[in-house]
Amino acid sequence: MSNEIAISTENLTRRFGELVAVDQVNLSVEGGQFFGFLGPNGAGKSTMIKMLTGLLAPSSGNIRVLGVDLATHSVEVKASIGVVPEGLALFGRLTASEYLNFVGRMYGLDRTTTAQRTQELLEFMQLTDRPKTLVTDFSHGMQKKLAMAAAVIHGPKILFLDEPFEGVDAIAAGTLKAMLQRMITRGATIFLTSHVLEIVERLCSHVAIISKGKLVAQGSLEELRAGIEARQGVTVPSDGKLTLEEIFLDIVGGTREADRELTWLS
Amino acid sequence: MAELAAVPGVPQQVRLIAGLRWMLFKNSLRNVKGRLEAVSSGILWLMMTGIVVGGGIFFGIATYFLVAEGRWTWLAGLTWIIFLFWQIYPIFAASVGAQFDFANLLRFPLRFGSFFTLSIIYGLFDPGAVASMVWLLCMWIGLGIAKPAAIGWALLVLVAFAAMNLFFARMVFVWIERWLARRRTREILGFIFILIIIGFQFIGPAVEHFQHHRAALQTGWIPALLAVSNALPPGLAGRSLQLGLAPSHAQAGLSFIVLLVYSGAFLWLLGIRLAAQYRGENLSETVAPAAIARAPRASLPRAAAPASPLLEIPGVPRPIAAVFEKELRYAMRSGPMLLNLIVPVIIVLIFGFATRQPHKGNDFFAHASRTGFIFPIAIAYTLLIQINWVFNCFAFDGTGIQFFLLAPVRFRDVVMGKNLFLSVVTLVQALLVWAVVSWFFSPPPLVIVVATFAALLYGSLANFAVGNILSVCFPRRLEFGAFRQKKQAGVTMLVAFVAQAVLIGLGALVFAGAHFFHRIILAIPIFLAFAIIAAIGYRFSLGRIDRLAMSRRETLTAELCRQE
């Protein structure tokens, strides 16, 4: 699947009344990429991922996933992607095992495969010690692991993750990262949003940055770094490498806000 | 260090909260849905106003006649009615009143006194409290006209009674809120609540029973019950009024003092909970993180233990069967849902209890039970109690709605899975009702049974046709067992009410017509014709549901994934 276009958008726009949350975005993600989608709060990240996964209708523009138009072939597209959305898409009154069984069947897996993968995923995610506990009684981290398990049960070619590591402890995060990297080595594409730039820098090969609804940067980390370093007046750190945080702040202009001072605060 | 702002006083805080409520309401009118909600709520409020005014007239006139004719002991009956309404109405009224989580205020610099006062003042604006206070005012006016000399004492008693009600309602609410904070206790409370509601339906038959067994009022447990009533706040208020009119000042004063002691006790219990809330009590039900298990192995074992068995329904597509199974699991874990299954059976028993009295030979239900029409009546009730499940079918899915939108299935399959489950529930209920009717009375005539099933088919299909559209257009997140904080969408309530009135009215008309012409069999083709029309409507609504769900997906996710 590598080098084929996995996700592409053309002039993708979403308006909420007067507000243009996503403005004419042309995005291209190649197959096999671990793609980080970044932006400040309210920049349009969640709106974008919701549109890419079919949870939100675009106001205009096109989305193609694995070369298929999402608007006209939504069922086919949904069958080949996995999603961990912001709300986690869980049914609180099922146990973890019942939930995964339900998800497997909704994705068309047969009875045996569903049961087998459910068991494997529960063990992998270390969720086997609470077989009778309802999902609603899980901690947030456990719910997130379950949502991740549900997103991969059908073996998706593309995985969309909205803040996958938020609220997850270091051990669980390690488990999830290992799973995601194994998926990448097997040719899957992963598209994630995160506020934790260190994680994105460590995991992702490519990033895009959205600010005020517009796509302001896109490429591999090296390409973005080289682009900034090539500009005049940019101070390159002594170790000779700009971090993703520095790249991000340079592109979205965050340093200016940090310089401000609220004089009435002690 | 910068200078801190002064903490605002209680009046200013009350103004701020009132302003907050107003802004919340104003902002809710920004979109069409909010405006529709406001209009629907307005209509429901008008109906509520009618009840308040009608009740006021009743209480005023009743008090006047009871006092004027010297039947003072009956005043306790009125205070009991007001007490029950004040305490129970908020549970029902959750559907029309906007609720506000009072604990949200704790983040602000409120002193405990202010928090406590605001909590009590907030209770004054509960619709049940407003209606009850209007009725108490009408009682006072009625009493004042009948016996002007007692007006001062009556005012004192009724104000104390109102205060007791206010403290009690707030006290019960904050204690129940504590229990509702945990899922398990919430479900237990939900189950108890529904049992109480069912219990209320026995009051009518019981009252009629004892009206015709007056001897029982003189002996046995009825006098004991009255004695208990007189020891409780509503009875004490009634007794204070009665003895004040007598006049027997010492005894009236004693009853009044006991009423005040009750009020004080409720206030104290309320204070305990509010103090805990003020201290930042955390009622989260989230479990502690699981103990760290072993690290994942490189090679994972195959299914060591079998996962939950999967339901296979022959001839039913896999997604529909999966949704059916999910609905079944949800229902099995819900006390209210399970109880919903047997409520029609209980209703039949109530009918039976009411109609087995010797004096009841000619009334409507006795006639219905003799002729077998008790069966369609109970089935009509079955349709009524399923409104929540049919007209807001995603209510209990919460964030699971995202999964339905993300999964590679047609939305119509999801809806059909839900409809299939409710159809099975309805069928089981109908069979149970038939069995109980046959056992308790006599088996209803076959022609009535067939006509009733035809009517059930038409009613269910019509309800699904309308309910599916409403579920997508006006979804509202609800939780099993949580009554007060949640409300159904106003539009849904209104449409459901009208739809049930039309469906059941039409059904009753057909049965009445067929009965009038002594040709019950005529009802069968008529209901089947209705069922065909309803099936066309159902098919039409299913045909539109995918497109509708796609166009309404933002509303669906926004409403159902909302964190309460």
Side-chain angles (χ1 to χ4, degrees):
Chain A
M1 192 176 134
S2 299
N3 300 325
E4 290 172 10
I5 299 298
I7 307 162
S8 66
T9 68
E10 190 185 346
N11 296 324
L12 191 63
T13 302
R14 173 68 208 203
R15 293 184 193 86
F16 295 101
E18 300 282 303
L19 175 75
V20 185
V22 172
D23 190 5
Q24 305 266 324
V25 168
N26 294 300
L27 181 76
S28 180
V29 179
E30 283 183 17
Q33 284 183 352
F34 205 136
F35 196 91
F37 195 64
L38 312 174
N41 292 331
K45 295 189 300 296
S46 287
T47 305
M48 187 75 184
I49 203 167
K50 281 178 187 165
M51 286 195 287
L52 293 177
T53 55
L55 279 175
L56 189 66
S59 302
S60 62
N62 297 315
I63 300 167
R64 295 184 82 80
V65 177
L66 299 169
V68 178
D69 186 16
L70 177 64
T72 53
H73 297 85
S74 64
V75 172
E76 290 84 343
V77 169
K78 286 172 184 177
S80 56
I81 65 172
V83 185
V84 178
E86 201 176 7
L88 302 183
L90 299 171
F91 289 97
R93 297 223 152 217
L94 301 179
T95 64
S97 157
E98 288 166 357
Y99 176 63
L100 292 180
N101 271 318
F102 168 71
V103 171
R105 295 177 80 199
M106 291 290 278
Y107 276 94
L109 299 181
D110 63 48
R111 190 184 174 123
T112 317
T113 311
T114 302
Q116 183 184 313
R117 289 187 185 179
T118 293
Q119 191 60 29
E120 287 186 24
L121 283 165
L122 288 176
E123 290 194 14
F124 186 85
M125 298 289 182
Q126 300 163 32
L127 292 170
T128 46
D129 58 337
R130 293 176 186 272
K132 304 267 184 200
T133 305
L134 297 185
V135 172
T136 192
D137 294 333
F138 276 8
S139 68
H140 181 70
M142 290 163 78
Q143 289 184 344
K144 202 142 226 176
K145 287 196 287 185
L146 182 63
M148 184 76 87
V152 299
I153 194 167
H154 58 295
K157 291 176 183 163
I158 304 177
L159 192 56
F160 289 92
L161 309 169
D162 197 351
E163 297 287 351
F165 302 108
E166 195 179 50
V168 177
D169 66 47
I171 297 163
T175 307
L176 297 181
K177 283 178 206 165
M179 186 190 82
L180 295 177
Q181 280 179 326
R182 266 180 229 140
M183 284 182 71
I184 287 290
T185 57
R186 288 175 192 165
T189 308
I190 296 174
F191 183 100
L192 73 81
T193 70
S194 178
H195 282 109
V196 188
L197 298 177
E198 289 80 6
I199 289 177
V200 175
E201 186 166 19
R202 211 174 313 138
L203 289 175
C204 297
S205 57
H206 293 73
V207 295
I209 298 173
I210 188 169
S211 179
K212 294 174 185 165
K214 288 187 181 294
L215 199 63
V216 290
Q218 184 178 188
S220 68
L221 281 170
E222 288 70 29
E223 284 169 351
L224 295 184
R225 197 171 281 132
I228 290 170
E229 287 172 359
R231 287 200 333 247
Q232 283 187 334
V234 174
T235 313
V236 179
S238 54
D239 61 1
K241 208 172 174 185
L242 285 167
T243 63
L244 180 59
E245 186 179 347
E246 287 163 332
I247 295 169
F248 180 82
L249 290 174
D250 184 86
I251 291 171
V252 302
T255 46
R256 284 193 297 276
E257 298 299 323
D259 289 342
R260 281 192 192 171
E261 194 183 345
L262 300 170
T263 52
W264 45 267
L265 268 181
S266 55
Chain B
M1 186 172 154
E3 207 169 296
L4 295 176
V7 177
V10 174
Q12 193 183 342
Q13 283 164 344
V14 170
R15 274 201 301 279
L16 286 169
I17 291 169
L20 173 70
R21 296 297 304 272
W22 169 247
M23 281 189 286
L24 288 173
F25 172 73
K26 204 172 66 173
N27 291 343
S28 75
L29 299 178
R30 284 183 182 182
N31 52 34
V32 178
K33 182 176 164 289
R35 288 193 283 273
L36 271 175
E37 281 285 293
V39 170
S40 308
S41 298
I43 294 169
L44 292 167
W45 274 104
L46 273 177
M47 289 161 69
M48 177 66 191
T49 307
I51 294 171
V52 172
V53 172
I57 293 168
F58 164 77
F59 280 101
I61 293 174
T63 307
Y64 172 81
F65 278 109
L66 291 178
V67 175
E69 294 180 10
R71 296 184 181 183
W72 302 332
T73 48
W74 287 89
L75 287 171
L78 299 182
T79 50
W80 265 107
I81 293 172
I82 290 176
F83 171 78
L84 289 173
F85 180 84
W86 194 321
Q87 307 309 324
I88 292 169
Y89 175 80
I91 298 166
F92 295 102
S95 52
V96 285
Q99 302 298 325
F100 172 66
D101 187 359
F102 207 77
N104 283 339
L105 293 177
L106 282 171
R107 75 180 71 164
F108 300 112
L110 281 175
R111 290 197 175 83
F112 177 66
S114 306
F115 180 65
F116 191 84
T117 312
L118 285 170
S119 169
I120 290 170
I121 291 174
Y122 185 74
L124 277 174
F125 296 99
D126 193 290
V130 172
S132 301
M133 285 188 292
V134 169
W135 295 344
L136 287 175
L137 181 69
C138 293
M139 272 187 77
W140 181 65
I141 293 169
L143 191 144
I145 294 170
K147 196 161 184 179
I151 201 163
W153 175 248
L155 181 66
L156 204 61
V157 172
L158 292 176
V159 166
F161 180 59
M164 184 282 301
N165 270 297
L166 180 63
F167 301 154
F168 184 73
R170 294 300 298 160
M171 185 271 289
V172 168
F173 174 60
V174 292
W175 278 95
I176 286 184
E177 196 175 48
R178 188 195 179 197
W179 295 321
L180 287 181
R182 297 192 74 85
R183 184 180 54 78
R184 206 165 286 278
T185 46
R186 188 162 62 224
E187 286 177 1
I188 292 168
L189 275 180
F191 199 81
I192 292 170
F193 168 76
I194 289 175
L195 284 178
I196 291 170
I197 298 302
I198 291 168
F200 273 115
Q201 306 200 40
F202 281 100
I203 289 176
V207 167
E208 288 193 21
H209 174 80
F210 287 117
Q211 275 177 348
H212 293 271
H213 292 78
R214 288 180 189 277
L217 290 169
Q218 309 300 324
T219 58
W221 55 275
I222 296 298
L225 195 68
L226 290 174
V228 171
S229 158
N230 284 339
L232 295 173
L236 283 165
R239 201 166 160 74
S240 297
L241 289 176
Q242 173 202 337
L243 295 168
L245 288 164
S248 175
H249 298 306
Q251 283 183 295
L254 185 66
S255 295
F256 180 68
I257 287 168
V258 179
L259 180 64
L260 290 181
V261 170
Y262 268 113
S263 304
F266 297 146
L267 198 62
W268 176 67
L269 286 169
L270 173 64
I272 290 175
R273 288 271 359 107
L274 290 180
Q277 282 185 9
Y278 186 75
R279 285 195 299 269
E281 178 184 57
N282 180 11
L283 296 174
S284 167
E285 63 186 332
T286 305
V287 295
I292 298 163
R294 64 191 182 284
R297 286 166 286 184
S299 168
L300 293 164
R302 290 292 169 210
S308 317
L310 302 175
L311 192 70
E312 294 290 346
I313 309 172
V316 175
R318 201 170 281 164
I320 298 178
V323 174
F324 180 92
E325 183 179 340
K326 177 246 151 200
E327 293 293 309
L328 180 66
R329 289 191 189 284
Y330 260 51
M332 296 298 282
R333 297 200 170 104
S334 161
M337 183 60 161
L338 286 176
L339 206 58
N340 169 49
L341 192 70
I342 58 162
V343 161
V345 175
I346 295 169
I347 296 306
V348 173
L349 293 176
I350 293 170
F351 288 155
F353 184 66
T355 54
R356 281 201 167 177
Q357 310 309 318
H359 68 284
K360 305 287 283 186
N362 293 319
D363 82 352
F364 175 73
F365 288 123
H367 179 72
S369 61
R370 274 202 313 277
T371 53
F373 278 107
I374 195 82
F375 181 56
I377 291 171
I379 294 298
Y381 195 85
T382 305
L383 281 181
L384 271 180
I385 57 173
Q386 283 179 357
I387 285 177
N388 262 357
W389 280 272
V390 175
F391 285 78
N392 188 13
C393 70
F394 301 104
F396 305 110
D397 288 328
T399 59
I401 189 68
Q402 288 183 318
F403 177 74
F404 287 141
L405 292 167
L406 290 168
V409 293
R410 293 178 305 174
F411 210 75
R412 62 181 289 172
D413 289 346
V414 174
V415 166
M416 282 171 75
K418 285 174 174 279
N419 292 166
L420 180 66
F421 173 73
L422 272 176
S423 302
V424 171
V425 169
T426 309
L427 190 64
V428 171
Q429 281 177 323
L431 293 172
L432 275 174
V433 166
W434 175 84
V436 173
V437 165
S438 302
W439 168 72
F440 205 80
F441 304 101
S442 59
L446 184 64
V447 67
I448 289 184
V449 173
V450 176
T452 304
F453 274 99
L456 187 59
L457 181 67
Y458 127 78
S460 297
L461 283 170
N463 265 345
F464 289 146
V466 181
N468 291 343
I469 300 287
L470 279 177
S471 299
V472 172
C473 290
F474 301 99
R476 185 58 57 94
R477 181 178 177 147
L478 299 175
E479 280 182 41
F480 295 126
F483 304 105
R484 193 180 163 101
Q485 302 95 320
K486 314 292 174 185
K487 59 173 188 171
Q488 280 280 19
V491 177
T492 300
M493 281 195 66
L494 207 60
V495 175
F497 177 75
V498 172
Q500 297 321 292
V502 170
L503 288 178
I504 294 174
L506 215 55
L509 208 64
V510 171
F511 268 121
H515 183 56
F516 180 76
F517 290 111
H518 303 289
R519 292 280 186 279
I520 300 296
I521 200 161
L522 281 178
I524 299 172
I526 295 172
F527 281 133
L528 287 176
F530 285 174
I532 290 168
I533 296 167
I536 293 167
Y538 179 66
R539 198 180 157 80
F540 178 75
S541 85
L542 272 186
R544 294 178 61 89
I545 207 80
D546 273 290
R547 191 175 295 175
L548 196 63
M550 284 303 105
S551 67
R552 305 282 303 174
R553 54 192 145 175
E554 288 166 68
T555 309
L556 279 165
T557 48
E559 279 294 336
L560 299 170
C561 302
R562 177 180 293 173
Q563 295 299 315
E564 301 285 349

